[in-house]
């Protein structure tokens, strides 16, 4: 008995220039992901929207196929959404932004290489707040924490 193997491929609908994706287009990936936006030299560049098969989305700026510039990423269902809105550099959170966890915790401030970095404010659902410096994702340097009862440390 002979087995037949199917090849599932990505599909692109949009503008072309010299056999390369260029301008407005939509790409449907074999894994279920979808990109809608502009292409430059065959790669997403400029404004666009990427939808992952798992339900996560990113709407914003792209450069050479990477999140780069301003944008918003989110995942989850209503009431349980985790999101980031702010600056990206070469597919990583870099610059200023805000991150909301599905738990209700919230951070607004600096990011570097996908981690909290520089000055930022973290608010927890229990009412605690940290205002101060961060380094590689941890509280480090000058800062203060304010507890729900108003005491500071």
């Amino acid at each position: 008995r002979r087995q037949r193997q199917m090849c599932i491929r990505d599909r692109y609908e949009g503008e072309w220039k010299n056999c390369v994706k260029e301008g407005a287009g939509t790409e449907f990936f074999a894994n279920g992901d979808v990109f809608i936006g502009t292409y430059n030299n065959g790669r997403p560049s400029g404004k666009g929207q990427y939808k992952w098969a798992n339900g996560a989305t990113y709407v914003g700026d792209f450069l050479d196929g990477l999140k780069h510039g301003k944008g918003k990423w989110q995942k989850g269902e209503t009431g349980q959404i985790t999101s980031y809105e702010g600056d990206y550099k070469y597919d990583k959170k870099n610059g200023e932004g805000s991150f909301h966890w599905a738990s209700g915790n919230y951070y607004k401030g600096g990011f570097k290489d996908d981690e909290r970095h520089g000055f930022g404010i973290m608010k927890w659902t229990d009412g605690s707040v940290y205002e101060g410096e961060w380094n590689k994702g941890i509280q480090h340097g000058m800062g203060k924490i304010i507890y729900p009862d108003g005491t500071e440390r």
Side-chain angles (χ1 to χ4, degrees):
R1 183 175 156 152
R2 199 171 152 190
Q3 285 187 322
R4 191 170 181 191
Q5 193 172 15
M6 290 187 65
C7 182
I8 300 173
R9 294 191 172 151
D10 301 340
R11 187 177 92 236
Y12 173 76
E13 298 173 1
E15 299 174 334
W16 297 86
K17 182 178 179 184
N18 298 325
C19 296
V20 176
K21 295 174 254 183
E22 187 77 25
T26 301
E27 191 160 5
F28 302 89
F29 298 94
N31 67 0
D33 295 355
V34 178
F35 174 77
I36 302 166
T38 57
Y39 287 80
N40 183 28
N41 203 25
R43 304 184 123 208
S45 289
K47 301 288 183 194
Q49 178 178 18
Y50 196 98
K51 296 178 185 178
W52 285 267
N54 68 8
T57 62
Y58 170 79
V59 177
D61 299 328
F62 288 83
L63 179 67
D64 290 330
L66 304 174
K67 298 182 295 283
H68 191 85
K70 301 274 185 199
K72 182 175 183 177
W73 167 90
Q74 72 177 37
K75 71 174 183 176
E77 303 291 324
T78 304
Q80 287 296 312
I81 294 175
T82 298
S83 68
Y84 169 78
E85 186 167 6
D87 300 326
Y88 283 89
K89 186 174 180 183
Y90 301 112
D91 231 25
K92 294 187 177 187
K93 295 181 282 293
N94 273 288
E96 293 296 311
S98 58
F99 196 100
H100 295 259
W101 284 265
S103 65
N105 294 340
Y106 170 78
Y107 172 82
K108 182 176 176 133
F111 286 85
K112 182 178 179 184
D113 294 331
D114 274 341
E115 295 183 321
R116 292 168 279 186
H117 194 85
F119 182 82
I121 299 171
M122 179 79 194
K123 296 181 180 181
W124 288 271
T125 55
D126 71 358
S128 299
V129 177
Y130 173 78
E131 298 178 13
E133 295 295 319
W134 295 78
N135 186 10
K136 297 181 182 177
I138 60 170
Q139 300 161 3
H140 182 81
M142 297 295 293
K144 68 178 177 181
I145 190 160
I146 305 165
Y147 294 99
D149 66 5
T151 58
E152 292 185 19
R153 187 172 71 121

